[in-house]
Amino acid sequence: MKDIMTAPFLVEMIRTVTNMYNHGWDERNGGNISLMLEEDEITDYLDIHHVCREIPIGFEAPDLAGRYFLVTGTGKYFKNVQYDPEKNLGLFRIAKDGCTAELLWGYSDGGRFTSELPAHLMSHMERLAVDSKNCVVMHCHPANLLAMTYVHDLDEKAFTRTLWQMCTECIVVFPDGVNVLPWMLCGTNEIGRATAEKMRTARLVVWAQHGIYGAGKDLDETFGLIETAEKAAEIYMKIAGLPLKNTITDAQLHELEQHFDVVAREGYLS
Ligand code: 2HA
Ligand code: ZN
């Protein structure tokens, strides 16, 4: 067996959580990531028949039975992942019953996956139904997106249009826009179901007064998605309340759509 610390998926995960921490998006134990892996990505590093522990997941994820996930641990700090990946991360397979995590590696102090596992796995199921390449669900607490949910209308069309107007790149990076959930209790199956439902139509879901969820094909793409939305929110928070002299018009947003060959969310541009 090769040393799992050299596995590309683990190296990339450690770099990503460290980068997110350095961006200030994941204070204390804030934030969580799930990365879906193919069996052949891990068989050089782990004996997939050796299950260390079985952990009930507390809901049913039948569509994910047999799938492998690398997931940040509950109560663990992104800051510390790089120093002790085996304690702060875990790699498990969803058992045939669809309700049990078969731990193959990690959570070495007896820990378990993030309390937001419902939002993660339910979102994976929804995204996979519309995009077979989706492998990542990422949650964090970027300050400007969070701040925006205190001062901006939470209507999804209005929220999305504001972000698109803040940076030229936004409509190209997230033409499907940003969906928004009102404040809800986190760490529950209810917020998991609500998040997953919002993931049907967009890869970004804001949790008002809490943070954001992003989904994508790999860690880099998903990080970039949140990074772009957060940059737009930062511009908004700099200009909100100031007299607006210029903006990106709908005609210009249509130009971007055509030039970059993306389709803006239906009905969001006039
Ligand atoms: O894991 O971010 O939403 C800590 C959180 C909960
Ligand atoms: Zn959170």
Side-chain angles (χ1 to χ4, degrees):
M1 285 281 159
K2 293 187 194 165
D3 178 3
I4 193 166
M5 293 304 167
T6 65
F9 61 81
L10 188 56
V11 171
E12 194 58 24
M13 181 69 134
I14 294 167
R15 285 184 186 159
T16 302
V17 293
T18 305
N19 195 15
M20 291 172 77
Y21 176 72
N22 290 337
H23 273 65
W25 298 351
D26 298 279
E27 73 291 342
R28 200 173 181 274
N29 63 322
N32 23 79
I33 304 183
S34 55
L35 168 65
M36 194 173 74
L37 298 165
E38 294 293 334
E39 194 167 282
D40 63 10
E41 286 181 272
I42 61 179
T43 44
D44 283 350
Y45 304 96
L46 284 176
D47 173 3
I48 57 164
H49 304 294
H50 181 255
V51 176
C52 312
R53 261 194 288 150
E54 292 195 338
I55 315 174
I57 64 172
F59 56 96
E60 287 178 9
D63 300 357
L64 299 178
R67 300 274 200 167
Y68 295 84
F69 291 91
L70 179 64
V71 180
T72 52
T74 183
K76 298 297 191 277
Y77 294 21
F78 274 26
K79 173 173 78 70
N80 297 335
V81 170
Q82 60 181 317
Y83 305 114
D84 196 346
E86 196 168 358
K87 185 166 91 182
N88 294 292
L89 303 172
L91 198 164
F92 57 81
R93 176 177 53 223
I94 303 296
K96 286 199 185 74
D97 66 3
C99 337
T100 311
E102 298 173 329
L103 184 65
L104 303 176
W105 174 87
Y107 306 143
S108 62
D109 61 351
R112 51 190 280 145
F113 39 74
T114 170
S115 59
E116 304 294 1
L117 196 71
H120 281 259
L121 294 192
M122 292 177 194
S123 293
H124 275 284
M125 287 192 276
E126 288 298 339
R127 286 311 304 168
L128 283 169
V130 291
D131 174 9
S132 63
K133 292 200 172 65
N134 197 89
C135 286
V136 175
V137 174
M138 183 181 281
H139 167 62
C140 56
H141 305 159
N144 293 289
L145 278 163
L146 233 153
M148 201 170 148
T149 67
Y150 287 85
V151 296
H152 195 283
D153 191 337
L154 295 182
D155 173 74
E156 290 168 345
K157 180 174 168 184
F159 204 93
T160 296
R161 285 180 49 81
T162 296
L163 291 176
W164 284 351
Q165 287 162 353
M166 293 302 110
C167 307
T168 294
E169 289 229 289
C170 282
I171 195 168
V172 182
V173 176
F174 51 93
D176 45 351
V178 175
N179 285 341
V180 183
L181 279 184
W183 187 92
M184 288 177 73
L185 186 61
C186 55
T188 64
N189 289 347
E190 287 68 35
I191 201 169
R193 277 191 284 272
T195 306
E197 201 186 312
K198 293 288 184 191
M199 281 280 178
R200 271 181 215 159
T201 48
R203 292 170 301 146
L204 286 167
V205 179
V206 166
W207 282 7
Q209 294 86 47
H210 183 134
I212 190 161
Y213 269 77
K217 71 176 188 320
D218 57 32
L219 289 165
D220 235 18
E221 184 193 77
T222 315
F223 179 93
L225 189 60
I226 293 177
E227 187 181 31
T228 307
E230 170 61 2
K231 169 62 78 68
E234 182 179 357
I235 307 299
Y236 177 77
M237 293 309 298
K238 283 184 198 290
I239 64 159
L242 296 175
L244 201 63
K245 298 259 167 81
N246 306 293
T247 190
I248 304 174
T249 65
D250 279 25
Q252 289 165 336
L253 290 168
H254 278 301
E255 271 189 68
L256 287 162
E257 228 189 338
Q258 274 141 31
H259 187 74
F260 289 98
D261 197 23
V262 296
V263 181
R265 178 90 161 256
E266 204 184 332
Y268 275 31
L269 293 180
S270 54

